[in-house]
Amino acid sequence: MQRAFGAACGLWLCFATTLAAEEHPVVVELFTSQGCSSCPGADVIFADLAKQPDVLALALHVDYWDYIGWTDSFGSPRNTERQKAYARAAGSRTIYTPQMIVNGMVRVEGNDPEAVAGAMTVQRGQGSDVALTLTREPGGLRIRATGPEGMAPVRVQLVRYNPSETVTIEHGENAGRTVTYHNIVTEWQALADWTGEPALDLLAPLEGDDPAAVLLQREGPGVIVAAASLP
């Protein structure tokens, strides 16, 4: 099926709790929809990824399948726009679900386990020369990072997500299914642009109990050079 942007439904703590991101978890963004019949398989794969300690798995529910009989309760036009931005960066006019994007670079069909595993294997071997730490403080989230001299600018992005929620889908292509979704993105905001000099030291307001993640991503959107999360 095609939509306006060429969319296609694919087959297929408070004190000083600190996390250092020198390990550079692999960031996996899943673009999914409760209304897409091809998505439940990808949601299962994604649930396994969300359990892996070296993976930062983020589910972005899109809204462009809402018209086919079921409105995704987590769907957001913001998520759809992020997927479109990735497509534009790749020179494509097509978006689809389920799609996974690994470290902002590798685009794969989300319900193809071999393609997903292959992309993650490649990205695990990339490493990072940017060190990122997060500390939850009484005033918010302290974000510190250091990088090499002359590094390309990155955008500092704060993401909040719901660890899990179960939904019974009553209409549409997945009518009758009950699905538990994981790491559902509820907020995504750009905090600052950073060029590596001076070292980054930023305090971001942080309300509520949802986990928080920070991504340092090159323009495009492009490669994610560092990421970290706190429960």
Side-chain angles (χ1 to χ4, degrees):
M1 290 184 287
Q2 297 291 320
R3 289 291 286 162
F5 194 76
C9 196
L11 294 174
W12 343 54
L13 295 228
C14 276
F15 293 97
T17 298
T18 304
L19 174 68
E22 285 80 6
E23 297 180 20
H24 187 30
V26 177
V27 179
V28 179
E29 296 173 64
L30 170 65
F31 292 93
T32 187
S33 173
Q34 296 169 10
C36 168
S37 62
S38 300
C39 287
D43 296 323
V44 170
I45 295 171
F46 183 82
D48 289 336
L49 295 178
K51 299 174 186 176
Q52 298 184 21
D54 64 341
V55 176
L56 174 55
L58 300 170
L60 295 100
H61 287 242
V62 299
D63 64 348
Y64 51 82
W65 296 128
D66 289 356
Y67 79 99
I68 59 177
W70 178 256
T71 299
D72 192 311
S73 55
F74 311 128
S76 168
R78 175 201 61 217
N79 297 339
T80 299
E81 182 52 40
R82 181 166 176 83
Q83 189 180 25
K84 288 180 179 180
Y86 271 126
R88 286 192 292 267
S92 173
R93 291 187 55 81
T94 300
I95 58 175
Y96 63 90
T97 55
Q99 182 185 44
M100 290 189 192
I101 298 182
V102 183
N103 274 354
M105 291 298 293
V106 184
R107 299 156 174 80
V108 296
E109 295 180 5
N111 53 6
D112 184 339
E114 292 185 0
V116 173
M120 295 186 64
T121 296
V122 171
Q123 291 301 305
R124 278 190 173 108
Q126 296 302 305
S128 176
D129 52 7
V130 176
L132 171 64
T133 61
L134 307 181
T135 306
R136 197 183 289 266
E137 298 181 355
L141 182 69
R142 178 69 63 181
I143 304 167
R144 293 187 174 96
T146 57
E149 184 177 352
M151 65 173 274
V154 295
R155 181 149 293 176
V156 183
Q157 300 168 91
L158 174 64
V159 183
R160 306 298 300 276
Y161 56 94
N162 178 353
S164 69
E165 192 163 330
T166 300
V167 176
T168 297
I169 301 170
E170 299 176 358
H171 304 287
E173 293 185 346
N174 291 319
R177 287 181 178 267
T178 298
V179 182
T180 298
Y181 296 97
H182 298 269
N183 290 11
I184 307 148
V185 170
T186 57
E187 180 182 347
W188 195 302
Q189 60 175 310
L191 299 178
D193 291 327
W194 177 56
T195 61
E197 296 180 0
L200 181 69
D201 189 344
L202 179 66
L203 182 65
L206 198 68
E207 298 180 357
D209 297 328
D210 281 352
V214 171
L215 310 182
L216 305 183
Q217 185 171 25
R218 290 189 184 143
E219 186 178 357
V223 63
I224 296 170
V225 302
S229 63
L230 280 178

